[in-house]
Amino acid sequence: ASGPASGRPFREEFEPLADPVLVEASELLGLDSAEGVDELEAQLMPRTGPSWLRPLQRGLMQLSRAAPSVRRDVFVPTGCHLLLTRLCDAFPEHQLTLADFRYWSPEGAPRPSGGPPAVNAPVVQSQSETGGETRDWNGDYLAGPFGEADVMFATSFEALGKLYAHASGGRSGATVSTADFMQRHARLEATTTASGYNPLLKDFVNQAFFVTGEDGG
């Protein structure tokens, strides 16, 4: 935890779970169990390398968490839960298109008490006073300059689908890769380079779209 002794105005404390929004979001996503936390962590793993390697990576990850004395810190997407709930209440006939990052690099996640990275940890970055230079704060949202640092969370689109289904009364959506979305909707001839390379199809591999309605089912 960070406190006044470190010169920071805030500190991190742990209290019994009581906040109703946090309780509801945790229950909806199964984060009140170790298995649910493992599932969320697996959903946010980088999707680089061969697909056959991911089950092995997930198994090794779970083994590393097997010690009962290891505390698991989890960032729960309560803001996403509230946004979807209020959106569906205010605009029940909406059509939704959301885009976000699916995962971050495993480097830079905060390691509370020197332990393993927190699950669903953010990337924390700020710009220099003169601009043009980005400083990465290694995921420590308490270390970045107050009111100036960007605190950015990746999105588990599997969790997003569960929260949306609850908020919308059972409606569903679809998660599509950026390349698939751009194939369907972008003017690819306008963004293809002379070499044939198209950044809309080849870049942004760690991003995805969540769509409802005609595109989402």
Side-chain angles (χ1 to χ4, degrees):
S2 301
S6 66
R8 302 180 186 181
F10 302 101
R11 64 183 181 188
E12 189 176 77
E13 295 182 346
F14 291 87
E15 300 178 354
L17 183 58
D19 180 87
V21 176
L22 184 56
V23 169
E24 183 175 54
S26 298
E27 291 177 347
L28 288 171
L29 300 179
L31 299 179
D32 49 356
S33 70
E35 293 77 13
V37 173
D38 286 340
E39 182 178 351
L40 177 64
E41 188 169 28
Q43 292 163 2
L44 294 166
M45 287 179 61
R47 288 163 171 77
T48 55
S51 58
W52 59 264
L53 188 60
R54 292 173 198 153
L56 177 60
Q57 292 173 326
R58 182 173 181 176
L60 292 174
M61 175 188 68
Q62 291 174 340
L63 284 175
S64 69
R65 308 289 193 266
S69 59
V70 175
R71 191 186 74 199
R72 307 281 309 278
D73 290 3
V74 184
F75 288 85
V76 181
T78 51
C80 177
H81 176 44
L82 288 174
L83 172 64
L84 292 174
T85 298
R86 290 171 181 173
L87 172 71
C88 292
D89 287 345
F91 303 100
E93 302 301 321
H94 67 273
Q95 303 295 343
L96 188 62
T97 301
L98 298 174
D100 204 359
F101 294 95
R102 300 195 74 169
Y103 57 84
W104 302 120
S105 168
E107 293 81 19
R111 298 175 180 271
S113 304
V119 178
N120 194 28
V123 164
V124 182
Q125 296 178 338
S126 62
Q127 294 290 316
S128 61
E129 292 185 3
T130 56
E133 182 179 348
T134 300
R135 176 171 180 179
D136 190 283
W137 294 88
N138 296 319
D140 189 345
Y141 64 96
L142 295 174
F146 179 67
E148 299 178 18
D150 292 320
V151 182
M152 301 170 285
F153 291 88
T155 292
S156 161
F157 281 76
E158 295 86 351
L160 176 63
K162 293 178 182 178
L163 294 176
Y164 179 74
H166 174 78
S168 64
R171 293 176 60 182
S172 63
T175 298
V176 296
S177 68
T178 296
D180 289 343
F181 187 88
M182 295 303 172
Q183 285 275 17
R184 185 180 303 180
H185 299 290
R187 293 176 53 208
L188 297 179
E189 69 280 1
T191 56
T192 301
T193 65
S195 67
Y197 179 82
N198 193 317
L200 294 184
L201 302 180
K202 301 297 185 180
D203 294 343
F204 313 108
V205 295
N206 65 331
Q207 298 180 16
F209 283 77
F210 181 82
V211 294
T212 65
E214 184 177 336
D215 285 341

